[in-house]
Structures are given as structure tokens and as C-alpha cells.
Amino acid sequence: MSPASSNLTPQSDTPLHTVLVVEDEVLVRMVIADYLRECGYRVYETVNASEALAVLQSPEVSIDIVFSDVQTPGDMDGFRLARWVRANKPGVQVVLTSGVERSAEIASTLCEAGPLLKKPYPPQDVVDRIRQLVAKAKRS
């Protein structure tokens, strides 16, 4: 899917930062993406890690934060996506989320702000985590 697709169009005029939401459950993705937009973020949405890679590799798009479910359909899960981001996009922060509790230990090694957010999560927790990442990046 190309960044020009309708579900990848940024919605905010003056974004704080750009967040890539990777979530295959459409209602979950819509709720968090809409909430992030309301909070002033530019948001791109993808269904899986393959689509996320296309956005991350697009020269027209600059992503600050990847917010991804651990379990995504396709060849690459959220952990592999996070590893790819760390290896290829060092300035991009990663937040992982999962409904599977054992995922937290693995996520703690891949996410700059510690373990993942457990599903179901309140949307404000996502914004708080993003703010932590931004503040930490500014101090570095």
C-alpha cells in the first residue's frame, strides 16, 4: 500500500509529531488513530508490518513514532518490525502493544520507554507514552 492511499493521509494541519499506527483490528486502529489526531498528532495507519515498512521507507513521509500491535498478520510481527526500525531508523521511537502478557519481556528490549502497553489500553495511556518518548529524546 502506498503512502498516497486514503487511509494513509495525514489529518492534522500542525502536528506535534508523526505517529505510524500498525493495527489489524480496524476498530482498535480507528479509535487510537482518531484520538491521536485529536491530540494534535499527524497519523498514518497501516494494517500490518509490510505496509508499515512501505510507509517507513517512503521518502515523502517522516515518522517519529511507531505504535504497533505485537501480533500483526503477514510475514512480520510487531517484534520484527521494532527490530527493523531500531536497525534502520535510529531516530524513530517504538511503542508496542499486545493482549498477550508474555510479550512484555521481549518488548522491554525493543521499546525505548520500557515494556509494551497491555491491551485493552486507554487512549490517553498511548499519548502519555508518546510524550515520555519525546521528552526522553529531547534530553538525549
Side-chain angles (χ1 to χ4, degrees):
M1 184 170 290
S2 72
S5 297
S6 62
N7 69 329
L8 293 177
T9 303
Q11 300 296 315
S12 178
D13 293 336
T14 56
L16 295 169
H17 292 282
T18 303
V19 180
L20 174 60
V21 175
V22 186
E23 172 62 64
D24 63 312
E25 293 182 45
V26 69
L27 293 177
V28 173
R29 186 177 67 247
M30 287 174 50
V31 167
I32 192 59
D34 287 347
Y35 188 80
L36 289 169
R37 286 183 185 107
E38 288 172 14
C39 291
Y41 295 93
R42 172 178 287 142
V43 179
Y44 289 86
E45 301 175 41
T46 64
V47 173
N48 58 42
S50 297
E51 287 183 6
L53 284 178
V55 173
L56 287 162
Q57 293 173 326
S58 171
E60 301 91 36
V61 178
S62 178
I63 300 295
D64 299 304
I65 298 147
V66 174
F67 179 68
S68 177
D69 190 1
V70 166
Q71 296 179 335
T72 61
D75 296 339
M76 181 182 275
D77 64 10
F79 292 129
R80 287 187 58 206
L81 176 61
R83 287 184 189 102
W84 185 93
V85 169
R86 287 184 75 107
N88 297 283
K89 297 285 186 177
V92 176
Q93 307 291 317
V94 177
V95 177
L96 292 174
T97 183
S98 177
V100 180
E101 212 162 302
R102 63 184 162 82
S103 300
E105 185 176 316
I106 299 168
S108 67
T109 65
L110 296 171
C111 298
E112 289 80 358
L116 78 166
L117 290 174
K118 189 173 186 301
K119 282 184 172 180
Y121 49 79
Q124 185 59 47
D125 287 0
V126 177
V127 171
D128 291 344
R129 181 68 59 93
I130 289 170
R131 288 182 180 147
Q132 288 173 353
L133 288 171
V134 170
K136 183 178 177 182
K138 284 182 181 176
R139 287 192 302 264
S140 297

